[in-house]
């Protein structure tokens, strides 16, 4: 069975606890500027109004942009194991990081620093996405991260750049039919700090929870027979099903979720700048950078997407 491969990459990729370039210890890349409840059956609904609404775009520099320019690098928290999103691609030049999320990181770096490769990538587990931002270890997190009200209490988000939904991944021939009573007594895997965790805490259907640090760990456990199914975003699960033909998505998506670029709550200028990048990234219809990236990375595993989600904005 296939699992995500790891090869030596020319791209700079640092684990979250690794020292900064040229420095020692585990200090933050730079000082800080200052999980998750989907709307699913039985799950607590978001209580804030329009969580996907973000600050209006602007190209003006502020404190956060100034820090990035002074460092000469954008520090991005990403995944290196999510096929088609953020993963090490042996077929890519140098065997480096590739994927839909990686393309977006490069677009942000090009806008701020004039160089799409002026990036330090930090591989972070699902549960460390928010702490990494709060502690200043990364400038942005682009890692299939769902926007919701609880997370908005701790970090800021850009406008939505992709729409997904929670779904169940199970082996072919499994008695599991979806997010329903067929989960009873089944060992169901999910990543700590994910929207799937909140969903299953609210309504488990009698399943036995199995928590892992990274979502891909669930696929490995499923392959080893240590769990019976996985609950995760269908956007991620589709990539995993493409990696391993012995598993498949079952049932229908039972939430509607939107991915956003996450940033420190006090980095309003960076939020506005990323939203400016996204405005340009979405524009152009089928010739837009967004659509070209979708066709390259996601269309083979998630066909039928015709456009990015429309942005929503708020004042203040």
């Amino acid at each position: 069975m296939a699992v995500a491969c790891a090869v030596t990459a020319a791209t700079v990729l640092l684990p979250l606890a690794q020292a900064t370039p040229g420095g020692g210890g585990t200090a933050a890349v730079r000082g800080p500027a200052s999980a998750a409840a989907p709307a699913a059956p039985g799950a607590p609904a978001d209580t804030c109004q329009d969580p996907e609404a973000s600050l209006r775009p602007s190209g003006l520099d502020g404190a956060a942009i100034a820090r990035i320019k002074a460092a000469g690098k954008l520090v991005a928290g990403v995944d290196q194991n999510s096929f088609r999103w953020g993963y090490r691609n042996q077929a890519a030049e140098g065997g480096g990081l590739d994927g839909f999320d990686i393309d977006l990181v490069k677009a942000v770096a090009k806008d701020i620093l004039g160089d799409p490769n002026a990036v330090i990538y930090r591989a972070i587990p699902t549960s460390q996405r928010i702490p990494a931002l709060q502690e200043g270890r990364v400038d942005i997190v682009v890692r299939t991260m769902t926007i919701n009200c609880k997370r908005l209490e701790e970090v800021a988000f850009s406008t939505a750049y992709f729409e997904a939904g929670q779904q169940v991944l199970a082996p072919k021939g499994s008695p599991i039919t979806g997010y329903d009573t067929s989960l009873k007594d089944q060992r169901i895997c999910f990543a700590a700090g994910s929207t799937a965790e909140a969903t299953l805490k609210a309504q488990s259907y009698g399943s036995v929870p199995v928590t892992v640090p990274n979502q891909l760990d669930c696929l490995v456990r499923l392959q080893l027979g240590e769990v019976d199914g996985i609950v995760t975003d269908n956007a991620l699960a589709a990539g995993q099903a493409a990696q391993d033909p012995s598993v498949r998505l079952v049932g229908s998506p039972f939430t509607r979720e939107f991915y956003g670029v996450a940033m420190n709550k006090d980095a309003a200028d960076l939020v506005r700048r990323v939203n400016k990048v996204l405005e340009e990234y979405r524009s152009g219809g089928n010739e837009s950078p967004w659509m070209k990236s979708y066709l390259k990375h996601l269309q083979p595993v998630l066909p039928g997407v015709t456009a990015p989600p429309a942005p929503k904005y708020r004042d203040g």
Side-chain angles (χ1 to χ4, degrees), residues 203-251:
Q203 174 58 278
S204 70
Y205 285 111
S207 61
V208 179
V210 178
T211 310
V212 296
N214 279 304
Q215 203 280 327
L216 188 68
D217 297 337
C218 284
L219 180 61
V220 176
R221 291 201 175 205
L222 190 65
Q223 292 167 337
L224 294 174
E226 296 176 356
V227 298
D228 303 303
I230 302 169
V231 172
T232 188
D233 299 356
N234 61 350
L236 292 173
Q240 293 178 0
Q243 287 176 285
D244 185 349
S246 72
V247 301
R248 64 188 178 96
L249 285 163
V250 295

Side-chain angles (χ1 to χ4, degrees), residues 108-121:
V108 175
K110 183 177 181 180
D111 185 87
I112 296 174
L113 298 167
D115 181 359
N117 297 312
V119 182
I120 295 174
Y121 293 100

Side-chain angles (χ1 to χ4, degrees), residues 23-195:
T26 58
V29 173
R30 43 187 164 270
S34 87
D46 275 340
T47 55
C48 61
Q49 186 174 6
D50 286 333
E52 294 87 31
S54 183
L55 297 174
R56 297 188 183 279
S58 171
L60 297 177
D61 290 1
I65 299 292
R67 281 194 299 272
I68 293 168
K69 288 185 173 181
K73 296 283 186 180
L74 174 72
V75 185
V78 298
D79 200 344
Q80 63 175 333
N81 294 314
S82 290
F83 187 52
R84 302 285 183 176
W85 290 92
Y87 70 108
R88 293 184 183 272
N89 185 359
Q90 288 181 313
E93 184 178 353
L97 283 174
D98 200 7
F100 190 80
D101 281 347
I102 304 304
D103 282 357
L104 181 52
V105 170
K106 290 179 178 179
V108 175
K110 183 177 181 180
D111 185 87
I112 296 174
L113 298 167
D115 181 359
N117 297 312
V119 182
I120 295 174
Y121 293 100
R122 290 187 177 273
I124 56 176
T126 305
S127 61
Q128 285 298 304
R129 292 178 297 190
I130 289 175
L133 287 166
Q134 293 176 325
E135 295 164 14
R137 290 177 276 169
V138 297
D139 299 311
I140 62 175
V141 168
V142 188
R143 195 186 180 286
T144 58
M145 189 169 179
T146 300
I147 305 166
N148 62 40
C149 295
K150 187 174 189 302
R151 288 176 178 163
L152 282 168
E153 296 173 1
E154 302 176 289
V155 296
F157 280 98
S158 70
T159 54
Y161 68 86
F162 199 85
E163 180 179 347
Q166 294 286 308
Q167 201 166 350
V168 179
L169 189 71
K172 292 178 178 177
S174 167
I176 297 173
T177 58
Y179 182 63
D180 53 35
T181 55
S182 67
L183 296 180
K184 182 175 174 57
D185 298 327
Q186 302 292 319
R187 299 164 297 174
I188 302 301
C189 189
F190 51 84
S194 66
T195 49

Side-chain angles (χ1 to χ4, degrees), residues 274-295:
V274 171
N275 283 339
K276 170 184 170 291
V277 173
L278 284 170
E279 282 284 308
E280 298 164 355
Y281 203 67
R282 298 184 191 98
S283 64
N286 289 336
E287 296 302 313
S288 69
W290 188 97
M291 184 56 69
K292 289 180 179 179
S293 184
Y294 163 76
L295 292 173

